[in-house]
Amino acid sequence: NAVSRPKAAYCSRLSRENSLFSRVSVLAVAMVIATWPVVAATTPLINEPARPIPQNILLDREKVQLGKRVFHDPRLSRDNTISCATCHDLTMGGVDGLRRSVGIDGQEGIMNSPTVFNSSFNFRQFWDGRAATLEEQAAAPIHNPLEMGSNWPQVLVKLKNDPDYVAKFKKIYDDGIQPANILDAIAEFERSLYTPNSRFDQFLRGNKQAMTDFEKSGYELFKQLGCASCHQGVALGANMYQKFGLFGDFYDDFLQDHGNVKPDDLGRFNVTGLERDKFYFKVPSLRNVALTAPYFHDGFVDDLEMAVLLMGKYQLGRTLSKSEVDRLTAFLNTLTGEYAGEPL
């Protein structure tokens, strides 16, 4: 576990350097250890490619509450009609259920909005990975003419005219309402949108009764077929890039009504300009996947079973039987977790 290695190395160093113990009390050591990330403390002991979502994550509650308010505030948009929650509805699995989201003036976007739940576990943000952090991601829609179509001077004027906002930002940030602070609050709220304790997580933590035998067989098939080579870790994905269409040309075979390949179908190529990055996308997380249709970067598919069938063909080079699709889908339905943050 990449998170646990620094802790292990630190503890090993403590045991080697006896002189340290003469200066630091056992209580102090315990207090230091208690501050390490919760992820390390909840790493499962079983040898599985997947890891359970931490049941508790240390966050700044005041920032979370402020970020929640900003996340739902349409004043971030030019015409005061679009908020972050418009495309990431927290009552709908963190998505809007549309093939492509709709921004100001009824404009349709070019990509399917991924869920905001568990986004803190993504190694990069956006389908093409162009944002390195949640803060960087949060800034993009504000400036996108198809989404919020605004800019920081407009946003700052509106928020600074709200006395309650002024007071709350000043309480947390010395310099009050500033772009970096707005993004910091939104990102902290988004970190609170984790969904632990799915039945699969319970299974990984040792509760063998949390999943049915049929669902367990789906998980075993998931591993046997190689799905776990891309969908692993805490998020069951979201930690690597992969080509969309490793086996066969998805666009030629499936999207007969799609016309020519659009720029947004080129994935990482639009970020790097490298030919080798064409059609590569961030592998999506499978967490809560039963709630987040439509699927794929362009919302091509509404049905989870069809998405599984197509992944088998184009990512594994295998025609899945109905029984295999049913087993895999049953497993995927165990990935729906429980929201653990502030009341929505």
Side-chain angles (χ1 to χ4, degrees), residues 13 15 24 69 74 77 79-80 99 101 105 120 126 141 144 150 166 216 221 227 242 259 262 273:
R13 190 165 67 252
S15 66
V24 182
R69 180 176 172 185
S77 66
D79 61 0
N80 303 321
R99 181 175 179 181
S101 296
D105 303 323
S120 63
F126 294 116
N144 190 321
S150 189
V166 172
K216 292 175 191 175
L221 181 63
C227 307
Q242 186 54 276
K262 305 189 308 302

Side-chain angles (χ1 to χ4, degrees), residues 60-338:
D60 186 315
R61 188 175 183 184
E62 288 190 330
K63 285 186 180 181
V64 168
Q65 292 174 335
L66 177 58
K68 173 186 173 182
R69 180 176 172 185
V70 180
F71 185 89
H72 289 86
D73 197 328
R75 287 177 291 182
L76 294 183
S77 66
R78 188 190 69 212
D79 61 0
N80 303 321
T81 63
I82 303 294
S83 72
C84 304
T86 302
C87 300
H88 300 287
D89 190 331
L90 303 184
T91 68
M92 294 178 56
V95 298
D96 54 17
L98 302 175
R99 181 175 179 181
R100 302 185 192 93
S101 296
V102 177
I104 60 170
D105 303 323
Q107 299 178 96
E108 185 179 67
I110 61 174
M111 304 285 277
N112 176 254
S113 290
T115 179
V116 71
F117 281 113
N118 302 306
S119 57
S120 63
F121 302 125
N122 296 347
F123 87 120
R124 303 281 295 190
Q125 306 298 329
F126 294 116
W127 282 100
D128 57 15
R130 65 185 181 276
T133 65
L134 288 172
E135 290 84 355
E136 187 178 343
Q137 185 281 324
I142 294 174
H143 299 87
N144 190 321
L146 298 179
E147 298 182 50
M148 294 182 176
S150 189
N151 55 62
W152 284 125
Q154 291 180 10
V155 171
L156 292 177
V157 167
K158 286 186 277 189
L159 299 193
K160 286 182 178 181
N161 281 332
D162 185 323
D164 190 51
Y165 261 141
V166 172
K168 283 183 167 58
F169 269 94
K170 191 62 179 177
K171 181 181 179 182
I172 299 173
Y173 305 99
D174 290 339
D175 53 350
I177 300 177
Q178 299 296 333
N181 300 338
I182 294 170
L183 298 176
D184 182 69
I186 293 174
E188 190 75 351
F189 172 62
E190 290 179 339
R191 292 185 188 99
S192 78
L193 299 175
Y194 63 104
T195 59
N197 208 37
S198 69
R199 290 192 295 116
F200 180 59
D201 285 344
Q202 295 173 43
F203 170 78
L204 289 177
R205 289 195 166 96
N207 179 4
K208 304 307 180 186
Q209 306 305 313
M211 294 170 61
T212 67
D213 289 342
F214 190 69
E215 291 163 345
K216 292 175 191 175
S217 75
Y219 178 47
E220 289 305 314
L221 181 63
F222 183 85
K223 293 185 288 184
Q224 291 168 11
L225 293 176
C227 307
S229 64
C230 293
H231 295 286
Q232 22 64 14
V234 174
L236 277 88
N239 58 4
M240 64 182 291
Y241 299 114
Q242 186 54 276
K243 184 177 181 180
F244 191 39
L246 283 173
F247 298 90
D249 192 320
F250 180 88
Y251 302 99
D252 282 349
D253 296 349
F254 187 71
L255 303 176
Q256 297 300 322
D257 63 340
H258 194 58
N260 295 326
V261 173
K262 305 189 308 302
D264 44 288
D265 294 325
L266 299 178
R268 284 289 293 165
F269 174 80
N270 294 325
V271 178
T272 68
L274 300 175
E275 188 71 19
R276 69 188 184 203
D277 286 335
K278 280 187 176 179
F279 311 115
Y280 274 78
F281 295 87
K282 182 185 70 180
V283 174
S285 167
L286 293 181
R287 292 292 182 175
N288 305 304
V289 67
L291 307 178
T292 58
Y295 303 108
F296 308 145
H297 69 278
D298 197 24
F300 298 128
V301 179
D302 293 321
D303 181 76
L304 184 56
E305 288 81 2
M306 178 57 74
V308 170
L309 189 66
L310 292 174
M311 284 292 95
K313 179 176 181 180
Y314 292 99
Q315 301 307 115
L316 302 175
R318 180 186 179 106
T319 300
L320 299 176
S321 67
K322 184 180 185 308
S323 173
E324 289 174 323
V325 171
D326 288 346
R327 288 163 61 193
L328 290 168
T329 303
F331 161 62
L332 294 177
N333 274 280
T334 71
L335 303 180
T336 302
E338 301 172 357

Side-chain angles (χ1 to χ4, degrees), residues 1-4 37-46 50-52 54 204-205 234:
N1 184 312
V3 178
S4 64
V38 176
V39 174
T42 58
T43 299
L45 299 178
I46 54 179
R51 310 259 170 114
L204 289 177
R205 289 195 166 96
V234 174

